[in-house]
Amino acid sequence: MTERVATTPGLFPLPDWAKDTLSDLKGHQKGDLLSGDEGAEITETYDEVRGELVEDQLDAGLDRVGEGQGRWDDMIAHPLTIHEHVETGGIVRYYDNNNFYRDPRVVGELTPSGDVAADLEAAADVLAGDAPLQAVLPGPYSLADLASDDYYGDESEFLAAVAEFLAGEVEAFPAHETLFLLEPSLIENPPATDTEERATDAIRTVAEATDAEVVVHTYWGALDEKLYAHLVDEAGADALGLDLVAGDRDATVYNVQEYGSTDSLALGLVDGQNTLVEEPATIAERVEWFESQVPVESFETTYLTANTELFHLPSNKATEKLAALAAATEVID
C-alpha cells in the first residue's frame, strides 16, 4: 500500500513583519551580507522566522517539516552566494518569472561551508522530534546552471565540483528523513543530447551522501523523454518529482507509462505561484487521476507537494496550501 506524505519543496515566503525588519537591518549592513556574516540582530530575526515557519508546518499537519529557507534571498542560488570563494555579480532574472537573484561567480575551490547544516540544526531544535525533518538543497545541475565558472574552466569539471560541494554540505546535516533536491533547470535548460549522464552522475553524487530518502524535484513542465529515463535509472534518487500543475501533464504521464518510474514519486499538485488555494478534494482527485493513468499498482511513497517553492505567495496563502496538502492525504485514504 502506498504511503501518502504531505510535504513541500520549501523556500517559504517571509512573514510580513520579517520583511520590514530585515529590510531595515540589511540596509545598514550590506557589506557583511555577501559573506554570510549577518550580525546578531539579523541572525536573531531569522531565528524567529525559522521558528514561525516550522510552527506553520506543524500546525498544518505536514508529514515532513523543513527549515523554511527564510535566509535564502537568492533562492536556490543561496548555497553559492554566501560562499567565500564566490563573488556575487549583478541582479539577474530567476528563470522566466519575475524573481531575481544575485549572479554567483565561482572564483575559487568550492569547499563545504556548513551553512545549510547550521540552519537545519536550528530547525531540528525547534522541531524537538514533533515531526521528521526534511532538508532542501538545489540540485547540482540547477545550481551549476545558475552560476558562472571563473575557476574550474571546464563545464563537466565544474558540474562535478558543484556536486561534490553539495555532497559535502549534506554530510554535515543533522539526521533528516528526506532530502529534496530542487532541479528546475532540468526542464528550463536541459542538458544537451548525449550529456544527460553528466547530470545524473552529479545528482547521484549528492544522493549518495545521505541515508535519507532523496527526492529529485523537477518543475515547470515535463522532462525530455531521454533525460527522464536517465533520471529514473541512474540518478540514485528514491523519488522523482513531477509537476502536474505547469506544462504538459500528458507528456509527464507518457514518460511514466513508457519508461517506468522510481519506486516512489513526488507529485507537484498545488500551484506554488498562484494565490488560488486548492481544495483537499481537488488535490486528491489529481493524485487519483495520475495513478489511474500509469501502469504501477502502488508506489512505496507518494509525496504530495507544491509544484514549485512557495516563496512567490503571500504568507497566509502559503500556509493555507500547506493545510490543504495535509488534508488531502486523509481524503485519498
Side-chain angles (χ1 to χ4, degrees), residues 258-316:
E258 189 70 16
Y259 302 104
S261 70
T262 46
D263 292 335
S264 300
L265 283 179
L267 302 180
L269 299 161
V270 303
D271 195 331
Q273 299 184 327
N274 190 308
T275 56
L276 177 67
V277 178
E278 296 84 353
E279 294 291 335
T282 300
I283 298 169
E285 287 171 4
R286 291 174 180 175
V287 175
E288 291 163 353
W289 172 85
F290 174 83
E291 292 182 344
S292 72
Q293 304 297 309
V294 300
V296 178
E297 290 187 7
S298 67
F299 299 100
E300 290 183 6
T301 303
T302 298
Y303 295 90
L304 280 61
T305 185
N307 68 325
T308 72
E309 63 272 6
L310 297 169
F311 177 85
H312 317 278
L313 299 173
S315 290
N316 65 322

Side-chain angles (χ1 to χ4, degrees), residues 32-229:
D32 296 329
L33 298 178
L34 299 180
S35 65
D37 182 10
E38 295 159 335
E41 288 183 290
I42 291 177
T43 298
E44 289 170 5
T45 302
Y46 278 129
D47 287 343
E48 290 183 48
V49 168
R50 182 181 302 109
E52 184 169 324
L53 296 179
V54 168
E55 289 299 328
D56 284 345
Q57 294 171 80
L58 288 172
D59 291 345
L62 291 186
D63 299 302
R64 302 285 187 274
V65 173
E67 185 267 330
Q69 295 76 46
R71 289 180 56 232
W72 291 27
D73 290 346
D74 298 294
M75 303 298 285
I76 63 174
H78 169 84
L80 284 186
T81 55
I82 52 85
H83 196 280
E84 63 177 340
H85 293 153
V86 175
E87 296 177 356
T88 48
I91 303 297
V92 295
R93 288 288 291 273
Y94 184 80
Y95 296 107
D96 61 353
N97 56 37
N98 290 324
N99 211 15
F100 296 84
Y101 69 98
R102 291 171 295 182
D103 176 27
R105 292 184 287 118
V106 177
V107 297
E109 183 181 3
L110 290 175
T111 52
S113 69
D115 179 85
V116 178
D119 285 344
L120 285 170
E121 291 277 7
D125 289 342
V126 177
L127 270 175
D130 288 340
L133 178 66
Q134 177 170 292
V136 173
L137 275 176
Y141 181 80
S142 294
L143 190 56
D145 178 49
L146 293 178
S148 301
D149 172 28
D150 291 338
Y151 178 75
Y152 291 94
D154 175 81
E155 185 175 336
S156 180
E157 184 180 349
F158 180 55
L159 177 57
V162 170
E164 291 291 346
F165 159 66
L166 290 173
E169 296 289 319
V170 170
E171 288 169 358
F173 284 2
H176 52 288
E177 189 79 11
T178 49
L179 169 62
F180 260 59
L181 295 177
L182 308 186
E183 284 283 19
S185 285
L186 289 174
I187 289 172
E188 289 292 299
N189 186 28
T193 302
D194 296 329
T195 68
E196 295 91 352
E197 191 172 350
R198 295 180 192 172
T200 53
D201 284 349
I203 292 169
R204 187 169 61 251
T205 294
V206 183
E208 289 177 348
T210 179
D211 293 329
E213 297 288 301
V214 176
V215 180
V216 177
H217 192 51
T218 66
Y219 44 101
W220 291 326
L223 287 156
D224 171 80
E225 291 180 37
K226 186 177 178 182
L227 177 58
Y228 175 87

